[in-house]
Amino acid sequence: MLNQISNGRQTPEAAMAGRQQVYSVCGMCSVRCPIVVEVEDGKAVRIEGNPKSPLKGSLCARGAAGIALEMDTERPQRPLIRVGERGEGKWREASWDEALDYVAGKLKDITAAHGGRSVLFSDRGGPFVDLHQAFVRGLGSPNYCNHDSACARNVQHAAKSVMGIGRKEVVYDYRNCKHLVLQTRNILEAINVAEANAVLDGMEKGCKLSVVDIRATYTAGKADNFYMVRPGSDLAFNLAVIHVLINEGLYNKPYVEAHVQDLDALAQHVATCTPQWAEGETGVPAAAITALARQLAEAAPNVIWHPGWMVARYDDSFHVCRTAYIINALLGSIGAKGGLPIANKPGDVGRKGLKKLVDLYPAPEEKRADGVGWRHTQFDGGPGLINLAYDAIVTGDPYPVKAYICYRHDPLMAMPDAEAMKRKWEGLDLLVSVTFSWSDTAWHSDVVLPLSTYLSRESIIASKGGLKPQFFVRKRAMQPTLDTKADWEILCGLAKRLGMDKLVFDRIEDIWEYQLQPTGVTMADFDAKGFVELCDAPKYREDAELKFSTSSGKLEMISPKWTKAGEPSLRPYAAPPAPPQGMFRIAFGRTALHTQGHTVNNPLLAEQMPTNVAWINTARAAELGIADGEMLEVLDARGTAAGRIRAFVTDFVHPEALFMVHGFGHRLPVESRARGKGVADQELMPGGLERYDRAGGGISMQEHFVAVRKAAARA
């Protein structure tokens, strides 16, 4: 019989039972799926998706490889302090006391000279950031950032510009949906297991699936309609769908009259964006675009046009995401069951939320180094734009940034032009990586603080909004196999040394108790399932209850906030430039087997997928004399080769695109499984750190052109 482990640590009774069960939270990607870990003799021996959650016991390959991560010795094993030049790979081992004393001492010197504002912090985002934000506030810095400028900033700002709320404040009600459109969202490969299950459940009930992409993904293979669009032309496709909905009177008139502002301006904007025009831009037949719009109207309001997930792609990706929300608005699906109902927070169901750690300290009065909120007034100030913050290291404008802490974040692999980034970082007096695996950024740091894996660390309690909001917690399933620590141990240890007494907690139980004070929930309530739902049944809002957090209280086709910032809400379409003769537009995406570059050295996952391949269209490959499986070199626009990669010749990728899975091309000598395998797409984007969507903030990582040539045989 499986017995529960109290607070993630074995009780004497549990130890006698031989095998125990711990409810926890996966950490192999940013989704953080609920899991159950079986523990025997103090070691994790099996992981499965929490059967009491929407995962139904299932887990993706990455989640199943968590034990291999814990047991992998090719990760930082103890604190390290640099003794050579940055990036040279020369370190000395240190005790935790010495390493934390060293970092705290450097931070004291830097903040004494330049103020707390001179510290920059970035992480991977997610549900546990309240602790990180509290630490940054305690330092007196406004410069908390995450990775989102290389991921979902465009869609976040698109949501704000239309609805006045963020992208996570609506729910994707897949199980009750009648027609789902996935655009820049490969839901069956960039896996959120609960979402994938819900999509498949909806399809079993008759939901149609349409996919808009530059290649035929696994998700496209399940679709009723697949539209292979020319890279960079998604906006034309969306504008044509809006044209049909308005010109044929297919939009939800009562809903639009009640909830949509400036429909006339939208109608005028798309007046010439006919399906015939869009066919010339996208390559998708006009009749197919018209048919899709009519199918959506038939299914409305039980429609989801997904606005995207990783949308740091094109110069106009903000507007691609924005038009997705506009299509949902025209169909009446925003707020609707089977569409995008509004997510509930604890207060919406009569409960109290968690007590926030960030509120231990007042919000800094200093403006942000990245210019968000004052120089760039349309952008959401929460996680800012890390790529713009780096400029302050170089220029000292608006003030010097001298210390940088990266928590589980590898900007040198996640963003373009690593060499340009390293040059900007030369002005830092301190660069610290908190990480559970080696990364390019950790290798270039001054101090590496090894983070325990998710199996051997606890986390603060997190809150999740939804139709049934909940609290959930990660508990420690086993003790660390290496000399590593949890994030709360690291940050509270630094807080103690820095005199930030309010954030000094000696036990995770004390943090949990603090967080739960106003909620009426106790830690014992998590024992049954690992999470606590705050209401008994899903709560949908009635149409009359819908009011949006915009200046007008409606869904805004024209956003006054963006207008004031000098950015048009309805941008005229500009055709993407064709690749120069013989070249391709670089494109990249995800796979079910890896989380970007974080997992490619994992012993199990490296065996399953050791490298990436270059998807190249059959006709283009024939023109270049390239055969399937041949080894290629990929060259950036300057003619510099990034590495060797095998050709995957297929009809199912657009002729203008060269596609590869992101995260490969590692060069670190400490990663024996990943080193020298495949090509890193971000190395093919010279100058890319400076190119971003001015309206949405996302980096434009698929606005670069590359060439290929046959690789010379190795001696």
Side-chain angles (χ1 to χ4, degrees), residues 45 242 288 308 407 419 468 485 554 675:
V45 295
I242 295 171
Y407 173 81
E419 294 308 311
K468 294 172 69 176
K485 289 187 179 294
K554 295 186 175 185
R675 188 182 187 189

Side-chain angles (χ1 to χ4, degrees), residues 15 33 39 70 179 210 248 303 318 331 333 396 479 550 624 650 710 713:
C33 290
V39 181
E70 175 64 42
H179 199 138
S210 295
E248 294 191 7
V303 171
F318 166 81
L331 295 168
S333 66
Q479 293 302 311
T550 56
L624 296 169
T650 175
K710 294 183 183 182

Side-chain angles (χ1 to χ4, degrees), residues 243 247 266-274:
H243 174 97
N247 279 46
L266 176 65
Q268 183 178 352
H269 179 66
V270 300
T272 59
C273 299
T274 65

